[in-house]
Each structure stands twice: as C-alpha cells, then as structure tokens.
Amino acid sequence: MIKIAFFDAKDYEKRAFESRITGEELSLVFFDTRLGPETVPLAMGFDAVCIFVNDVADKTVVEALTRYGVRLIALRCAGYNQVDLQAASGKITVVRVPAYSPHAVAEHAMALLLCSIRRIHKAYNRTKDFNFSLNGLAGFNLYGKTVGIIGMGRIGQAFAEICRGFGMEILAYDKVPSDSGVSFCSLDELFEKSDILSLHCPLTKETYHMIDRESILKMKKGVVLLNTSRGALIHSEALLEGIKERKIGAACLDVYEEESDFFFEDFSGHIMEDDVLARLLSMPNVIVTSHQAFLTEEALDAIAGTTVNNILTFFAGLPVPNEISYS
Ligand code: NAI
C-alpha cells in the first residue's frame, strides 16, 4: 500500500481523487493545512506527498522529507515554482500535471473579459436589487479589437481560438514563436497595438514583473489587462498606479502577487492586511477571482487521473514522463 500525504486538501479535490482510487494500492490522508517548514513533520511515515500551488517545498522541506524517507513529491498542478528542484535533485523525485485543461483557463479568461467589458458584475448586483437602470453600463464590442497574447503555449493557443471566434485581431509574443497561425511581434509592438492584453506565459526570472511601470507606459490608453497565469508577472503597485492614472481601462485578475496569504481561504469578516489588494478590489474596473481559472469538473478529473497515474507509475519503478528535473 502506497501512503500519500495530501496537503492543502479542498472538498472539490477530495471528491475527484477519491473517485479515481478504485484498487487497494493507494491510501490518501487529507490534510487541510499547507505543506511548509512548520507542517512537514505531518509527512512522517508517508511514501509521497501530494501538493498544490501554494504549498512550499523549499530546501528545508525537501531535506526533511528526504530524512523521513518520502520518495515522491507529486504536484497536482502544472507550475512548479514552489519546489526547490536543486535541493530535490538526486534525493526525491518530483512529478507534475503538465496539462489538464487549457480550455478551462482560456474560457475563464474570456469569461472575465466579457464580464468586465459588458459590466455583467454590476448588472448582476443591480437587478438582484430590482434596479433595472442601464446608466453607466455601456461596454464595447470585442469584434474587430486587437488582443495581444503573451505566451502562446497550450492556454495561449486555446485563448487565441476563442478570440478568433469573436472576430478579434490576434497578436502574439512568445520567447519561442511557433507555427500557430497567428502574427508574432515584439513585446513593445504588442504593448503599443493591443486593446486587450492577456498573459499566458510561466513565471520565471525573466517574466517576473514583466508588466511594470515602464511597460504600462507603452500600452494603449484604456487597455484591458487579463492575468490568469501567475500574479508576479505584474508589479501590483504599478498596476494600481496605471488604473489611477486612467491608463489601464480595466484589469481582470485570477492571480495576484501575494495570493498565497489569502487565496483559497475565507477572509470575510477579517481586516484585509494587504493594502494593494484592498485598493485594487475597491476599483470599479477591477475583477478578481481567487485562482479559479482551472476549476472545472473536467480539469479536476484530469488532474486527479494524471496525479494518480504519476504516483502508480513511479512506485511501479517505471520512468514517469511527467517528472521534472533540475537543469
Ligand atoms: P505552456 O508551457 O504550454 O506555455 C507557456 C508558453 O509561454 C510557451 O509557449 C513558452 O514558450 C512561453 N514563454 C516562456 N517564457 C516566456 C517569456 N519569457 N516570454 C514570453 N513567453 C514565454 O503553459 P500553459 O499550459 O499554456 O500554461 C501557462 C501558464 O498558465 C502556466 O505557467 C501557469 O502559470 C498558468 N496557469 C494558471 C492556471 C490558473 O488556474 N489560473 C492553471 C494552469 C496554468
């Protein structure tokens, strides 16, 4: 029996994983708490840990896991910036779910965009209050507008397909331009020409704060910024400034730089400690969802399926195609 410590467990994930475990070979113990230096002793006696985006597997955690005899870190997400791969190298294997549903994220990006520019979030509240006035709800058409996509990987391409269906012009920037039927251009040209900008590249040293004061100055006045990728792609204070100066027309954020302190948890009734997040949320043209873009039944099922398969393959002594190595 392979024993798995499942950290930061949420009900919607538990259901998806439990329905995937049919045989006797896996035993999952769900912990509500996140993995980190203080909680890592919970992993004692387990063969593997299963973690998500805001768990921490830094050097201290990786070394502790190794001492406890844990052999596998199974990420149930695509990004792996939360794991110290150098510390793990040669000691503990790290596997991930490279793709589960690019469409889930791309569709959420479009949902945020439509909600924002057609003022659905405002209309919803108004009509609930029997206020049927249209004042202040005028939006704009997407047809004929230019969308700039940064990162034309799986999600960027799925988003481009959706935008094509709306009759939008598509411009793209990628570190490695591909043959994906869209026009690639420089980042500066993308900033200059886009009515809507959508971020779909990973968070790396190179992309950290790629949207900052300087890049915002290069953008069109009134640009709508979408971020469903990673919060730290955007310098949050610079975004706030851009909104206050009316340079940014709207921002739709599914991720936030400091999200690990807040996202996925209920803080209603608490004093919000993060002034930038509080100020962003106070803006009429900012919509925030708490890292929810992946959250569809199809994606949860695919995440559970791939993770269980990664674990079983590893403990069967076979090579795991989804292993991440330090390079
Ligand atoms: P992918 O690996 O298929 O595509 C990423 C693309 O970004 C690649 O084409 C790559 O060449 C490009 N890229 C890398 N460095 C770049 C740079 N410096 N500048 C421009 N482009 C660069 O990844 P996928 O599946 O499309 O996911 C994209 C991102 O979406 C992930 O890294 C993750 O951060 C985020 N994500 C967010 C989710 C959510 O629920 N909000 C769920 C899943 C992923």
Side-chain angles (χ1 to χ4, degrees):
M1 169 79 75
I2 307 159
K3 292 176 71 187
I4 318 292
F6 193 105
F7 284 88
D8 201 10
K10 300 285 186 271
D11 287 345
Y12 46 83
E13 297 177 292
K14 289 180 194 169
R15 279 196 300 277
F17 274 82
E18 276 164 347
S19 71
R20 281 281 173 173
I21 297 171
T22 45
E24 297 292 304
E25 64 272 74
L26 280 187
S27 138
L28 288 179
V29 175
F30 295 109
F31 295 106
D32 292 347
T33 184
R34 289 182 185 163
L35 178 66
E38 288 82 31
T39 57
V40 68
L42 290 169
M44 255 186 253
F46 286 90
D47 303 300
V49 292
C50 183
I51 64 172
F52 196 51
V53 291
N54 289 323
D55 292 292
V56 174
D58 59 9
K59 192 164 183 274
T60 313
V61 169
V62 167
E63 283 173 357
L65 291 174
T66 312
R67 276 200 309 281
Y68 304 155
V70 173
R71 292 172 55 206
L72 181 71
I73 299 176
L75 298 170
R76 49 183 197 278
C77 54
Y80 48 88
N81 47 300
Q82 70 278 47
V83 183
D84 187 334
L85 290 178
Q86 189 174 7
S89 181
K91 292 186 189 135
I92 189 163
T93 302
V94 184
V95 293
R96 67 172 179 141
V97 183
Y100 36 92
S101 177
H103 303 287
V105 182
E107 288 173 17
H108 190 76
M110 182 48 88
L112 287 173
L113 175 60
L114 285 171
C115 182
S116 170
I117 66 160
R118 302 306 302 266
R119 322 283 188 243
I120 305 294
H121 53 312
K122 292 181 178 300
Y124 177 82
N125 286 332
R126 276 192 196 182
T127 55
K128 285 275 172 198
D129 204 23
F130 306 109
N131 173 354
F132 302 108
S133 149
L134 294 183
N135 287 333
L137 297 187
F140 64 82
N141 291 4
L142 287 180
Y143 181 81
K145 294 291 184 305
T146 299
V147 59
I149 300 176
I150 302 181
M152 277 295 284
R154 284 168 281 235
I155 298 172
Q157 286 181 41
F159 186 65
E161 277 304 309
I162 296 173
C163 292
R164 201 171 278 129
F166 276 79
M168 300 171 79
E169 303 292 326
I170 300 163
L171 278 179
Y173 170 78
D174 198 292
K175 198 176 158 182
V176 191
S178 56
D179 184 18
S180 45
V182 300
S183 309
F184 282 87
C185 64
S186 71
L187 207 46
D188 279 356
E189 189 180 345
L190 194 94
F191 289 144
E192 196 188 310
K193 294 191 171 158
S194 301
D195 301 298
I196 292 130
L197 258 177
S198 197
L199 308 181
H200 298 291
C201 58
L203 174 63
T204 61
K205 279 189 190 123
E206 229 176 319
T207 59
Y208 177 79
H209 283 179
M210 74 189 308
I211 305 298
D212 60 6
R213 178 101 198 120
E214 207 181 323
S215 49
I216 289 172
L217 285 173
K218 294 175 188 162
M219 293 176 196
K220 267 191 183 178
K221 185 171 163 49
V223 63
V224 179
L225 188 58
L226 307 178
N227 189 5
T228 55
S229 195
R230 283 293 179 267
L233 295 177
I234 300 182
H235 187 291
S236 309
E237 280 94 346
L239 171 65
L240 192 53
E241 282 311 305
I243 292 167
K244 281 157 75 177
E245 287 162 5
R246 281 52 171 182
K247 179 75 187 236
I248 307 248
C252 302
L253 311 172
D254 185 52
V255 285
Y256 173 65
E257 224 177 333
E258 304 298 334
E259 70 175 50
S260 61
D261 293 339
F262 307 103
F263 280 21
F264 304 121
E265 307 300 333
D266 182 357
F267 281 91
S268 52
H270 290 247
I271 305 292
M272 171 46 68
E273 299 285 350
D274 186 318
D275 289 352
V276 176
L277 180 58
R279 190 77 177 97
L280 282 170
L281 282 166
S282 77
M283 295 288 180
N285 53 355
V286 173
I287 296 179
V288 174
T289 50
S290 63
H291 209 132
Q292 155 187 352
F294 74 99
L295 196 62
T296 64
E297 294 297 336
E298 292 84 351
L300 288 170
D301 187 50
I303 290 170
T306 305
T307 305
V308 168
N309 197 41
N310 284 345
I311 295 169
L312 291 175
T313 308
F314 172 78
F315 284 101
L318 301 169
V320 190
N322 298 328
E323 180 174 346
I324 325 163
S325 307
Y326 175 68
S327 52

